[in-house]
Amino acid sequence: MKPAKDTPVVRLPFNTGEYPCTWQVPNRKGGHLEIPGFLTVEQGKYPTGILHGDLPIKWVDGVATFPQCHSFNVFTGRLSSGAYVALMNGELSCLPESGRAMGAFAALSRDPFGTSEHRKYAAIELQMEGLESVVGAVPISCVKMPKNADDEPIYEVTVNNDARFTWSGDGQSMTFNYEYRVYPFGRYEFRMVFCPVLHLSSDQPLAIVDWWFEWVRPLRQLISLMTGAPCEVRYLLAAVDSAAPRPCRDQVFGWDITHLPVNSNCAAVEEIRSAVNLASDNLSLLDLLRAWRQKIDDRHPLFETYGAMVNATDRHPRSRFLLLLQALEGSYGFENRAKHQVDNEKYSAKRKDVLARAQELLGKADFKFVNKNLRREAQQGLDSALADLLRRLPDVVSKELETTELIKAVRQKDTGKVTLTLQSALTRARNALSHGSESFEPQHLVIVADILERAVRSEALRLLGVPCSAQERAARKEDR
């Protein structure tokens, strides 16, 4: 049977769905009971096991409470097909003759799992939306075809060997390449398709949970930052031996892994438009990922705040607007801690001197009022953060903000003789929303939040060390 035209280049070892399964349930004597049931692995849902049988129930004086819940690191079973499964980091809920197990992840494998600890892997393989756009290299370097009808009708495709990148250091390695498959559809059609694949390896093997939280999740956040849109993990395979062929690798299931590998498509790749082009910007994806992880480890406010929201798809305009400004304000404070400390010392000395003179001039009640209400630290707020940021961003960003209905509305309500500065207008809108003293039209907040998100992306890229050209691409609005 001939393959379908849309068959993906990457063929995964397992499919999503429901599998008959025999579970290994720990008993109360240090052994395991074999309990029949099912395993369900589906996109958008946590891996789940259903059990039917005589489960080990804890009775006290002939009485038991239900359901009885037990957390687990690993919960294993064997599929009717002969493959094996390990649910990880979950909970088993038991009734007298049935049970339900749910894990954060599940791994399906050709090899049996240990029942007490996580399997560790030397390498993982994945496909992630946006990878081709971020890397910036195409899989075909040259296509040759006859110029004239009388020329020999030979068509030739040359695979781009320069579209393979390897970054390594400190016992870790990352390789991006295009895999391809040729489909000679009889004597009437010929087709060649490509797809992006990313390989990560570590001299220190890691459990799935560690691979996910230390590498896959931050990589997903990083790709989303560079592309300006949420991205999905299309599949994740793990290998104990990095040289193991794909069919022999364990397949990892989780609620946000789609298990739908796709072939590269020119229109889809160009639609994403990444601010960073690794090939032309001469950047290492591994170095950028390490820089992102270091910012998270340092508890940098911008990366903690924006990293948590970068892949969200249902953010309310109000919360999105507030969180973006919070990220910018926190970033400014974090990056200027030393300067703020010096300012605080100067301000503290000045405050002490002013209060000493005020105490001589004012009555007790007036002095108490001044002492209570004169701030105790040098001013450092959103105004300063936005003024600093707007100076660095392309002028077009400020011009965009100036024309928004939100800024116009804030300025119209200001009674001052001088037009409110852009940073002050944004600060007043933030304060009004935070304190609940005023509301704005959601569609007006959306427009400003879109601009602010580009500013946050540009600022994050600057902190990660990418070139100014990439920072400007992130900040500018692109027509799609």
Side-chain angles (χ1 to χ4, degrees):
M1 183 176 179
K2 297 177 182 178
K5 289 188 177 182
D6 58 353
T7 300
V9 173
V10 171
R11 297 174 181 175
L12 300 177
F14 301 93
N15 298 318
T16 55
E18 185 177 82
Y19 294 88
C21 179
T22 300
W23 295 101
Q24 300 291 319
V25 182
N27 60 23
R28 302 191 179 280
K29 299 179 181 180
H32 290 81
L33 302 173
E34 292 191 350
I35 305 294
F38 294 90
L39 166 71
T40 302
V41 283
E42 296 179 347
Q43 179 186 352
K45 297 181 180 180
Y46 286 107
T48 302
I50 300 298
L51 299 81
H52 300 288
D54 189 12
L55 297 174
I57 301 298
K58 182 178 181 180
W59 298 86
V60 179
D61 298 328
V63 177
T65 57
F66 297 100
Q68 295 190 1
C69 299
H70 312 277
S71 60
F72 59 79
N73 290 324
V74 181
F75 186 61
T76 62
R78 185 172 187 180
L79 308 186
S80 61
S81 63
Y84 297 87
V85 60
L87 290 179
M88 290 166 273
N89 291 33
E91 183 178 82
L92 172 63
S93 176
C94 296
L95 296 172
E97 295 183 355
S98 66
R100 178 185 179 89
M102 181 177 292
F105 302 96
L108 270 62
S109 176
R110 293 173 178 264
D111 302 313
F113 290 93
T115 57
S116 60
E117 60 183 21
H118 290 196
R119 178 178 291 174
K120 294 189 175 182
Y121 301 90
I124 61 171
E125 172 195 324
L126 58 89
Q127 187 185 90
M128 189 176 291
E129 186 179 16
L131 272 176
E132 307 105 304
S133 300
V134 168
V135 171
V138 297
I140 296 176
S141 61
C142 180
V143 176
K144 295 181 181 179
M145 61 185 67
K147 180 180 180 180
N148 303 308
D150 295 335
D151 294 340
E152 188 175 10
I154 296 178
Y155 293 77
E156 182 178 301
V157 174
T158 302
V159 175
N160 183 12
N161 290 327
D162 292 333
R164 179 184 178 90
F165 298 86
T166 297
W167 308 281
S168 58
D170 297 330
Q172 297 157 344
S173 178
M174 181 184 289
T175 298
F176 171 90
N177 70 289
Y178 286 99
E179 294 192 11
Y180 64 88
R181 192 178 297 273
V182 177
Y183 297 123
F185 292 97
R187 289 175 287 177
Y188 296 91
E189 292 181 77
F190 185 91
R191 190 164 181 258
M192 188 175 189
V193 292
F194 296 81
C195 80
V197 175
L198 190 68
H199 299 267
L200 291 84
S201 63
S202 171
D203 290 350
Q204 182 67 41
L206 302 171
I208 288 297
V209 174
D210 297 321
W211 274 114
W212 181 266
F213 287 105
E214 294 179 19
W215 293 97
V216 180
R217 188 173 71 168
L219 178 63
R220 185 185 180 197
Q221 294 170 326
L222 177 62
I223 297 295
S224 296
L225 165 70
M226 294 188 286
T227 60
C231 70
E232 60 186 21
V233 180
R234 290 172 173 154
Y235 75 85
L236 177 60
L237 302 179
V240 175
D241 179 359
S242 58
R246 183 173 291 129
C248 297
R249 298 184 176 188
D250 293 0
Q251 187 169 338
V252 181
F253 292 82
W255 75 269
D256 49 357
I257 303 174
T258 69
H259 300 279
L260 295 172
V262 301
N263 299 330
S264 296
N265 176 279
C266 181
V269 173
E270 292 180 353
E271 175 68 18
I272 293 176
R273 299 186 183 182
S274 171
V276 172
N277 185 306
L278 298 178
S280 61
D281 293 332
N282 194 28
L283 294 169
S284 160
L285 185 57
L286 180 60
D287 288 345
L288 288 176
L289 181 57
R290 283 176 172 159
W292 175 281
R293 290 176 55 190
Q294 187 59 56
K295 295 295 183 184
I296 295 295
D297 290 344
D298 292 341
R299 310 302 297 271
H300 194 292
L302 186 144
F303 291 86
E304 281 197 324
T305 303
Y306 188 61
M309 63 185 288
V310 67
N311 270 299
T313 57
D314 57 350
R315 295 170 291 177
H316 190 277
R318 182 190 188 104
S319 62
R320 182 171 168 236
F321 174 82
L322 292 173
L323 283 171
L324 289 169
L325 288 176
Q326 179 183 324
L328 291 171
E329 183 177 15
S331 179
Y332 180 80
F334 189 88
E335 296 295 321
N336 292 275
R337 286 173 297 177
K339 179 179 178 300
H340 186 56
Q341 179 63 32
V342 173
D343 291 343
N344 265 339
E345 292 172 359
K346 293 180 180 178
Y347 177 81
S348 179
K350 180 70 173 177
R351 183 179 187 277
K352 183 178 180 181
D353 179 60
V354 168
L355 288 176
R357 287 185 283 118
Q359 192 170 19
E360 297 176 357
L361 300 172
L362 301 176
K364 185 175 181 181
D366 289 341
F367 175 76
K368 183 177 180 181
F369 177 83
V370 172
N371 184 38
K372 178 181 178 181
N373 290 281
L374 185 61
R375 64 175 183 269
R376 283 164 170 71
E377 289 190 356
Q379 186 172 6
Q380 181 190 38
L382 184 57
D383 260 47
S384 302
L386 291 175
D388 179 71
L389 175 68
L390 292 171
R391 281 194 295 268
R392 288 197 304 273
L393 294 175
D395 291 341
V396 67
V397 176
S398 295
K399 291 178 181 178
E400 277 188 82
L401 287 168
E402 294 276 4
T403 60
T404 61
E405 295 299 322
L406 177 68
I407 298 301
K408 291 179 182 178
V410 173
R411 282 175 170 168
Q412 284 176 356
K413 293 182 179 180
D414 180 54
T415 58
K417 294 181 179 180
V418 181
T419 301
L420 205 62
T421 63
L422 180 56
Q423 59 265 26
S424 295
L426 286 167
T427 299
R428 289 198 183 183
R430 190 279 303 270
N431 292 342
L433 288 173
S434 296
H435 301 150
S437 58
E438 192 173 351
S439 296
F440 301 97
E441 293 294 331
Q443 62 268 30
H444 296 165
L445 289 172
V446 167
I447 293 172
V448 175
D450 287 343
I451 302 171
L452 290 176
E453 183 150 7
R454 300 203 311 267
V456 170
R457 290 176 58 218
S458 178
E459 183 72 352
L461 292 175
R462 178 184 72 85
L463 294 170
L464 291 176
V466 306
C468 292
S469 57
Q471 298 172 38
E472 290 191 7
R473 288 195 293 268
R476 293 180 182 274
K477 180 180 181 181
E478 294 191 33
D479 296 327
R480 293 184 181 271

